[in-house]
Amino acid sequence: MLRTALLILSGNAFASLLLLARNLIVARFIPVADYGIAATFAVIMAVVEMMSALGLQQQIIQAKEGDEPHFQAALQGFQLLRGVIAGVALFAIAGPVAHFMEIPQVIWAYQLLAVVPVLNALIHFDIHRLSRGMVFGPMLLTGAIPALVSLLAVWPLAVWLGDYRVMLYSILIQTALGAVTSHLVARRPYRAVLDRKIMGRSLRFGWPILVNGLLMFLVFNGDKAIVGRELGMETLAIFAMGVTLTLTPTLVLAASAVNFFLPQLSVARHAADGEFNRHAVAMLQAILAMSLLFVCGTVLFGPLIVHLLAGEKFAALQPLMGWFAIMQALRVLKTGPSIVALAVGQTSNPMIANIPRVLVLPLCWYVAAHSGDIFTIIWIATLGEFAGYLLAMLLLRRWVALSQRGIVLPHLAAAILLLVTAAIGLWQPTAALSSQPDARVAVVLLVIYALNLASQRELFLYVRQRKTSGEVS
């Protein structure tokens, strides 16, 4: 089981690191203002995700008949229908979005991105069906191969174009190859049918996920849109690079947690010996441990990473890395209660948990328009993420009776670590940020992190049981 977890984590990390490398190389090759324009393509891609988020990939894993060919074909047909509709809608809103961002010269690029939802809709669902049986290779290859080719395409595109179009065509290459690869690694022939009964069931299952897609669009890109509109493309480039460097690892953690734990929890929910409860608490603790480790690593090495990877053009980002890390860690923590809720068929948890984050966006806009202070914007967003996580955990208690002993102590230790991290960020002099990590800071963070691990009894029992049963090697 540990080998499977490492495979998922490394596979997701490999694909994400390739895309991160692509973004960093593009940032090196093109002017900062052009990178700001390229960052707006992420906003458009998020629109695509928002329009197509119905959780069909999760449904084929969670549903009892997920292995049935007709059920799979019906989900693929529904996915294709929605992809075409999303593509048409995206083409229609390209102009208004470009004018809102005050970059009307890129309307054509936004219109070209309208092919992305159609290509995404052609992905073969066999890669998700196979995950039911803990076979993750096809899914990981579908992410890694397109990301690699997209990265390799950057240099010739940069030599040829040298501006934001490098990112545009790289995204299109990645999306097209993703669809092709999913068919090459599939074990079943591709079929797409429209079944009204299954479509209706999918809508009932997925409407909270669809609404959450809208909220996630606002969460992931509301800040970028505000910063880009009010503070300009160069400031947006700094902000977007901070999000890229800190969001990529947390997305890897979140995706790996879903891939690894959701199939197990979906099976364990039918057990009568408390296995589901133990699995759920262990999963929450695992996500907490990984998120806090990410925060510690970013506080110690984040400024140096910015210096080495992004270069002097992004020096203004260095003192902000710790704040970005805390915000993203709180965001990924919401994945835990969402996975548990999804395993028991409740899909509204992430939707409701993202509401506080959306509610603080007007305040972020006010700050951007009147003070231009990115630091304050980040901390307002962080408070929104924190409120959302508390709400997610409170909602979870309505659906699942989990052991509070395994939840309270690790979270108290986590709160101490995050508060200490915030204090370090306030006291640490900006001039020292690009030097070697402070040994005293490292010792303090590692001691508190060790205390957090010591409180995670259920996680250690989970790993020990897997090792005893021969599932860990």
Side-chain angles (χ1 to χ4, degrees):
M1 190 65 73
L2 180 59
R3 182 180 298 171
T4 301
L6 292 176
L7 172 66
I8 297 169
L9 182 61
S10 60
N12 286 328
F14 181 66
S16 296
L17 287 174
L18 289 173
L19 295 179
L20 174 60
R22 180 193 69 184
N23 293 343
L24 292 172
I25 293 172
V26 170
R28 290 275 191 172
F29 276 131
I30 67 178
V32 174
D34 269 359
Y35 186 78
I37 293 176
T40 67
F41 296 153
V43 178
I44 298 299
M45 296 299 291
V47 173
V48 172
E49 294 295 329
M50 175 190 70
M51 290 177 174
S52 59
L54 262 181
L56 301 186
Q57 297 90 337
Q58 291 90 346
Q59 189 179 11
I60 199 172
I61 296 174
Q62 192 264 353
K64 291 182 178 180
E65 62 269 59
D67 273 320
E68 296 179 4
H70 178 75
F71 186 77
Q72 180 179 339
L75 293 183
Q76 289 170 167
F78 193 20
Q79 176 83 341
L80 183 58
L81 175 63
R82 293 187 305 107
V84 172
I85 294 173
V88 172
L90 184 54
F91 186 89
I93 67 172
V97 171
H99 285 294
F100 175 81
M101 299 300 294
E102 299 183 348
I103 45 175
Q105 70 272 21
V106 301
I107 290 177
W108 70 272
Y110 290 167
Q111 290 173 336
L112 187 57
L113 285 172
V115 304
V116 170
V118 181
L119 293 172
N120 280 338
L122 289 170
I123 288 179
H124 202 307
F125 271 32
D126 229 30
I127 62 174
H128 305 298
R129 180 187 67 84
L130 292 171
S131 298
R132 290 171 57 91
M134 306 296 282
V135 178
F136 298 104
M139 179 189 66
L140 297 177
L141 287 174
T142 301
I145 293 175
L148 176 60
V149 176
S150 174
L151 170 61
L152 295 177
V154 167
W155 184 80
L157 288 172
V159 172
W160 176 32
L161 301 170
D163 57 23
Y164 62 86
R165 291 174 293 174
V166 176
M167 184 67 82
L168 171 66
Y169 294 124
S170 178
I171 290 172
L172 293 174
I173 290 170
Q174 176 197 350
T175 308
L177 282 178
V180 171
T181 305
S182 71
H183 287 262
L184 293 177
V185 299
R187 298 183 182 178
R188 282 179 177 172
Y190 180 82
R191 289 179 57 241
V193 300
L194 295 179
D195 186 315
R196 290 185 179 181
K197 183 177 179 180
I198 293 179
M199 288 170 61
R201 176 179 167 186
S202 296
L203 286 172
R204 290 190 296 274
F205 176 86
W207 76 261
I209 299 176
L210 181 62
V211 175
N212 185 56
L214 171 60
L215 297 178
M216 288 298 293
F217 167 73
L218 296 174
V219 167
F220 278 101
N221 298 280
D223 300 325
K224 289 181 183 178
I226 291 168
V227 171
R229 176 177 172 82
E230 299 295 336
L231 305 180
M233 289 297 108
E234 291 196 10
T235 304
L236 173 59
I238 300 296
F239 189 89
M241 180 60 72
V243 172
T244 296
L245 290 175
T246 54
L247 181 61
T248 299
T250 55
L251 287 179
V252 170
L253 294 179
S256 300
V258 173
N259 296 152
F260 183 70
F261 285 107
L262 181 57
Q264 297 180 62
L265 289 172
S266 296
V267 173
R269 64 179 292 203
H270 302 293
D273 59 353
E275 182 181 3
F276 180 85
N277 192 305
R278 293 192 298 272
H279 275 38
V281 173
M283 183 269 295
L284 292 173
Q285 292 179 354
I287 294 177
L288 188 64
M290 292 187 293
S291 301
L292 295 180
L293 183 61
F294 162 73
V295 171
C296 293
T298 305
V299 170
L300 295 175
F301 300 103
L304 184 60
I305 289 173
V306 172
H307 178 73
L308 294 176
L309 297 183
E312 293 300 325
K313 292 190 295 185
F314 292 88
L317 174 60
Q318 293 185 18
L320 300 175
M321 284 298 288
W323 315 125
F324 274 115
I326 294 173
M327 179 178 70
Q328 305 295 9
L330 289 170
R331 177 178 291 174
V332 78
L333 285 177
K334 292 188 294 186
T335 306
S338 297
I339 294 173
V340 179
L342 183 60
V344 297
Q346 296 290 341
T347 56
S348 61
N349 186 291
M351 175 189 70
I352 299 173
N354 278 319
I355 291 176
R357 179 67 173 85
V358 173
L359 291 178
V360 302
L361 285 176
L363 185 57
C364 291
W365 200 331
Y366 178 84
V367 171
H370 290 82
S371 71
D373 186 358
I374 293 182
F375 173 82
T376 304
I377 293 172
I378 294 172
W379 269 105
I380 292 172
T382 300
L383 291 175
E385 295 289 359
F386 176 68
Y389 181 57
L390 289 180
L391 182 57
M393 292 300 292
L394 290 174
L395 286 172
L396 188 61
R397 296 182 63 180
R398 296 176 53 189
W399 299 315
V400 183
L402 298 181
S403 168
Q404 295 304 301
R405 182 187 61 184
I407 293 176
V408 174
L409 287 180
H411 280 79
L412 286 176
I416 293 172
L417 189 144
L418 293 178
L419 289 174
V420 170
T421 300
I424 291 171
L426 290 172
W427 295 335
Q428 193 175 39
T430 302
L433 286 172
S434 61
S435 62
Q436 295 297 321
D438 190 316
R440 294 169 298 179
V441 171
V443 169
V444 171
L445 291 179
L446 292 178
V447 167
I448 300 175
Y449 183 72
L451 291 175
N452 179 268
L453 287 182
S455 67
Q456 297 187 351
R457 177 175 175 269
E458 284 76 8
L459 177 58
F460 286 105
L461 288 175
Y462 172 84
V463 174
R464 186 184 303 168
Q465 289 170 358
R466 292 297 173 275
K467 187 173 183 179
T468 302
S469 64
E471 297 180 17
V472 175
S473 58

